[in-house]
Amino acid sequence: MHYYQRLLSSAIALAIAAASLVSAQCPLKIEGADAASIGIYVKDLTSGKVLVDYNSNQALTPASVTKALTSATALSMLGADFRFTTTVGCSGDISGGRCSGNLVINASGDPTIGSKQFRRAEAFTDSVIAAVRRAGIKSFGGTVVIRENMLDQGPVPQWEIEDVAWPYGAGLHAFNYAGNTVYVNPVTGKSVPESNLKVTLLPASDKDGNDMLRGINSQNLTVWGTAKSRNMKNWRLETTIPDPAEVYAGLLIAKLNNAGISIGNKKSKADNNKIKVLYLHESPELRAICRDLMKRSDNLFAEGMLRAILPGKSRADCIKAEKEFWNNNDVSTRYVMVSDGSGLTRSNRMSARFLGNMLEWMIKSPAASDYINFFPLAGIDGTLKSLLAKTRLKGRLAMKTGSMASVQAYAGYKVDAGGHPTHVVVIMVNGFFCSRSSLRKQTEAFLLDTFK
């Protein structure tokens, strides 16, 4: 009799489990939902109740949602007031308006120098020239020397090679300038500012747009251009460079000479470690950098914030420190894979629940007020400007987006009328077969239904 009771109990348990599986339908009503990998996690921060939990432990590719993790880590470990500091000085003796040595720049990994996003950063060159004049220097015996102290500079090895030539694929270096890009004319091969890129223009393409390819650390840029592009008088493409320090040194030399300050191209033997500091350049505060990188989804800025965790150390060391920080704060990274700070690689893996736990920890931390301001607001700005723009949820969702081929993700908060977070919201979709616009519409429908 006991045997049959156990058998009946097992049958009932299986039936209940089967019923649960049937009832646990995907909240996103997209075509091909069963074939896609989807993770959703929504939690009420006031009651602590989880409102939606669908495959929340499944590790998925987060794309640029990775930036929410990078920003949270940098903010928590470095503080909102953190700034990168780049020193500019001269070596050798200064006498009679002449410096016998070189103009030396000690790079700090600052990703904002020359950036159009910040006026102070964009005026770096003018500030250097002004500092040289204040020191009474009219000539140098040497040249511009940029000292870099960063391991594994440049694009992340896990990035797709197709991304490296485009501005969003610019790798981080110890010295960065103007997004580490130049404008190149594919017909003449000339670039502004001048660089050592060797441009190969292939025959006209039948494709709708132009395309570019450059290997990691390679000077060779291959361009596929349409017939229409070739006929443009001032055709130019913005592309990345393998050595920003080399390009900037040439630019600064030219600008110094044009300003009446004589400087050559050969390094002076008078260069030494005793540097007379002429100018101390500070980046914008971390809170400003992270706000900008989150709203615009800037990959270079994100990589800069990751590497700022342990200056001079390897990318792997910084990622290890990042994961240790979260583990020490009871946000487990056991099933988390991180390869970069921007999310440009598909090798990153995070679950909706992990991101939800991280977001919940942040909003309870002392850095909460700064962190919530990093996120774009639905229907208002950044990468969320068009989402829910004509609905009652406009301005009531603060989320980072992430997208690449067959990947769409959102992570952030539902906020009240005062902008205070009330819920954690994470939606991750990998390998979808419907159109992205259809997925977006169903995401809007899900959010409107969840927050009635």
Side-chain angles (χ1 to χ4, degrees):
M1 187 67 175
H2 292 301
Y3 167 77
Y4 289 107
Q5 287 177 332
R6 289 197 301 271
L7 187 63
L8 179 61
S9 297
S10 298
I12 293 173
L14 288 171
I16 293 173
S20 298
L21 288 173
V22 172
S23 64
Q25 296 179 353
C26 180
L28 290 182
K29 308 304 179 183
I30 59 172
E31 180 184 358
D34 292 343
S37 297
I38 301 172
I40 302 175
Y41 184 77
V42 180
K43 184 176 181 179
D44 187 319
L45 292 171
T46 302
S47 67
K49 181 180 179 181
V50 176
L51 305 183
V52 183
D53 185 340
Y54 182 79
N55 291 342
S56 68
N57 287 319
Q58 185 172 3
L60 300 170
T61 299
S64 282
V65 164
T66 303
K67 294 181 177 72
L69 172 64
T70 303
S71 296
T73 307
L75 176 62
S76 300
M77 296 183 70
L78 302 173
D81 298 330
F82 168 84
R83 296 176 188 264
F84 293 92
T85 301
T86 302
T87 59
V88 181
C90 60
S91 62
D93 298 322
I94 301 176
S95 178
R98 177 176 176 78
C99 173
S100 62
N102 305 296
L103 181 64
V104 181
I105 299 175
N106 286 319
S108 63
D110 183 353
T112 71
I113 293 178
S115 172
K116 294 179 181 179
Q117 306 305 319
F118 302 102
R119 289 184 179 180
R120 179 178 172 82
E122 192 176 7
F124 178 77
T125 302
D126 292 339
S127 297
V128 171
I129 294 174
V132 171
R133 282 177 169 159
R134 283 196 302 272
I137 300 173
K138 297 180 180 179
S139 67
F140 287 87
T143 188
V144 172
V145 173
I146 300 179
R147 294 177 176 175
E148 299 184 276
N149 178 29
M150 178 181 285
L151 299 175
D152 49 29
Q153 299 188 109
V156 178
Q158 289 86 350
W159 287 357
E160 299 287 341
I161 194 66
E162 290 83 0
D163 294 331
V164 172
W166 295 96
Y168 66 85
L172 182 82
H173 293 253
F175 184 83
N176 308 280
Y177 184 74
N180 295 344
T181 64
V182 297
Y183 286 94
V184 63
N185 183 319
V187 176
T188 64
K190 294 182 178 180
S191 64
V192 178
E194 291 185 13
S195 69
N196 290 324
L197 286 176
K198 299 176 181 177
V199 183
T200 300
L201 179 59
L202 297 183
S205 169
D206 294 330
K207 294 189 295 185
D208 293 334
N210 303 306
D211 202 359
M212 296 185 291
L213 186 67
R214 182 178 68 80
I216 293 178
N217 299 325
S218 173
Q219 298 280 6
N220 299 312
L221 175 70
T222 302
V223 178
W224 290 263
T226 63
K228 181 179 179 180
S229 296
R230 289 166 174 264
N231 292 326
M232 293 172 60
K233 290 183 178 180
N234 296 312
W235 181 29
R236 68 175 192 170
L237 295 171
E238 186 178 9
T239 189
T240 59
I241 47 179
D243 192 345
E246 178 185 51
V247 171
Y248 182 72
L251 181 150
L252 183 56
I253 288 169
K255 295 220 170 190
L256 284 165
N257 283 316
N258 287 339
I261 301 169
S262 178
I263 188 166
N265 295 302
K266 293 183 179 180
K267 186 176 179 180
S268 168
K269 293 182 180 179
D271 187 30
N272 53 52
N273 291 324
K274 295 180 180 179
I275 304 298
K276 175 180 173 57
V277 176
L278 303 177
Y279 171 56
L280 189 66
H281 178 81
E282 290 188 329
S283 74
E285 293 179 338
L286 180 147
R287 57 167 59 88
I289 298 174
C290 285
R291 185 186 306 119
D292 186 79
L293 81 85
M294 288 278 281
K295 289 184 181 291
R296 292 190 306 107
S297 204
D298 190 293
N299 294 329
L300 182 67
F301 283 12
E303 297 304 327
M305 297 319 305
L306 174 67
R307 300 302 294 272
I309 293 171
L310 292 175
K313 299 293 184 180
S314 70
R315 184 180 299 107
D317 289 334
C318 294
I319 292 170
K320 181 181 179 182
E322 176 178 55
K323 295 177 78 171
E324 286 177 350
F325 172 82
W326 291 108
N327 287 327
N328 291 338
N329 285 284
D330 298 323
V331 180
S332 175
T333 64
R334 183 176 181 183
Y335 300 115
V336 172
M337 295 177 61
V338 181
S339 296
D340 66 5
S342 61
L344 190 55
T345 172
R346 289 179 176 272
S347 64
N348 291 329
R349 290 291 185 276
M350 300 172 198
S351 70
R353 182 176 289 272
F354 163 75
L355 286 167
N357 290 341
M358 182 274 294
L359 290 164
E360 183 176 2
W361 188 92
M362 282 302 298
I363 220 60
K364 294 178 181 178
S365 77
S369 59
D370 278 306
Y371 190 60
I372 187 63
N373 287 327
F374 294 168
F375 289 81
L377 288 172
I380 294 179
D381 64 355
T383 55
L384 274 190
K385 190 171 184 178
S386 62
L387 188 78
L388 298 162
K390 298 180 180 180
T391 74
R392 54 185 166 77
L393 289 180
K394 178 180 179 180
R396 300 299 289 273
L397 284 158
M399 298 191 297
K400 181 70 192 78
T401 62
S403 63
M404 54 177 58
S406 297
V407 174
Q408 185 65 55
Y410 301 89
Y413 306 96
K414 161 75 168 55
V415 298
D416 62 20
H420 305 294
T422 60
H423 298 75
V424 162
V425 181
V426 184
I427 302 169
M428 305 178 73
V429 185
N430 284 188
F432 58 88
F433 291 86
C434 64
S435 67
R436 196 176 296 274
S437 61
S438 176
L439 173 57
R440 180 175 171 274
K441 289 179 181 178
Q442 291 305 316
T443 299
E444 289 181 318
F446 164 73
L447 291 167
L448 288 166
D449 183 61
T450 301
F451 301 112
K452 293 179 180 177

